[in-house]
Amino acid sequence: SLHVELHKGGRVLIAEDCVAGPGISDPGQVVASRNVRFLIFLSMCQLVQAFMSYDGGATPASLDTIQAEMDNSWTPSEFGLLGSMDKIGMTATSILWGRALQLCDAKLLLVFGLALNTLCTALFGSLRDKGLMLTMKFFLGASQSLQGVWSTVWTVTMAPPEYKTMWLGMGGLSAGIGNGIGTAIAGFTTANGLPYALAFQVQAAVLGLLWVVLIILRRRWLVLTLPKDLDSPSTS
């Protein structure tokens, strides 16, 4: 049966519920059509997640070039901290983002988070200061955490029931693909004598385009709750 809880005047699906109740084969239909939800899943849940994870592969592949461009000033322990700062950011902020998504408009938070991630990515590739680079990595992880929390809850709430498990599983797939793309591009560019910043500029450019897509999307398509009336299908 469909298990719902009241939340701010709407209904939100519990994560374990993957089967709709009698007469409601696809509750998410009241918010957006299947085609719209698939496009949101592809762009906001897959592509954004992939390119937010990109720097996780690009950074290790760029370490030799970073060291060379900064006069061999990095120690092994500092490089270890650089590689972990995004994970620290994700861990430190995940609960905060979960609460924020309960209290604030989801689209507003997503627009802020993606803009922050894009800006920090571009700055990370341009900076030559250790402290600032570590700070940018922290905020990269923090903004990625917001995207991860929203993506998981949105998929549980809005995915067509027959695809819900597959869509949830693809969340890990996109992160791995993003890491691989980052490693490949950063490895290729630095191996050919190009600045390590180029790989991160590519990442920032793609994230910037996805930010434009996010701006265009309707606010109600990104909500994490279902409306009270589950019997009125959307014509969007």
Side-chain angles (χ1 to χ4, degrees):
S1 63
L2 180 66
H3 181 195
V4 298
E5 285 187 354
L6 292 176
H7 175 66
K8 286 187 174 294
R11 300 181 179 184
V12 59
L13 293 178
I14 304 306
E16 66 211 15
D17 295 68
C18 296
V19 181
I24 308 175
S25 60
D26 185 2
Q29 186 76 14
V30 302
V31 174
S33 68
R34 288 194 171 205
N35 288 338
V36 168
R37 282 178 286 153
F38 175 74
L39 290 175
I40 293 173
F41 173 74
L42 180 63
S43 59
M44 295 297 107
C45 298
Q46 292 296 291
L47 289 176
V48 170
Q49 194 72 12
F51 278 91
M52 278 189 171
S53 302
Y54 171 111
D55 67 282
T59 300
S62 304
L63 293 182
D64 288 343
T65 306
I66 292 174
Q67 185 74 294
E69 291 187 19
M70 296 183 66
D71 301 321
N72 297 311
S73 60
W74 288 83
T75 65
S77 59
E78 288 172 337
F79 268 146
L81 183 60
L82 181 68
S84 64
M85 279 303 290
D86 56 337
K87 307 302 185 295
I88 294 173
M90 293 173 66
T91 303
T93 60
S94 58
I95 295 178
L96 298 177
W97 288 129
R99 182 58 177 163
L101 283 166
Q102 289 181 316
L103 300 174
C104 304
D105 179 77
K107 181 174 181 178
L108 181 63
L109 286 175
L110 291 175
V111 167
F112 167 76
L114 187 50
L116 177 64
N117 194 278
T118 303
L119 177 62
C120 290
T121 298
L123 289 174
F124 180 82
S126 305
L127 296 170
R128 297 296 183 273
D129 180 87
K130 293 181 184 179
L132 291 176
M133 292 175 74
L134 290 169
T135 302
M136 292 304 103
K137 285 288 283 186
F138 177 88
F139 284 114
L140 285 173
S143 52
Q144 186 177 346
S145 177
L146 166 61
Q147 185 69 27
V149 172
W150 172 84
S151 178
T152 300
V153 180
W154 184 90
T155 301
V156 168
T157 307
M158 300 299 174
E162 67 270 28
Y163 297 120
K164 188 168 296 185
T165 303
M166 183 178 68
W167 282 19
L168 285 169
M170 289 176 68
L173 176 65
S174 61
I177 290 175
N179 265 266
I181 293 173
T183 301
I185 292 178
F188 176 81
T189 55
T190 56
N192 284 276
L194 297 170
Y196 80 87
L198 179 59
F200 295 95
Q201 290 165 354
V202 170
Q203 179 186 10
V206 175
L207 289 172
L209 291 174
L210 290 168
W211 185 83
V212 174
V213 173
L214 174 59
I215 291 292
I216 296 171
L217 295 176
R218 295 182 182 179
R219 177 172 277 100
R220 66 187 180 88
W221 292 344
L222 305 172
V223 298
L224 298 180
T225 58
L226 293 170
K228 288 182 178 181
D229 186 2
L230 293 177
D231 299 318
S232 300
S234 169
T235 57
S236 302

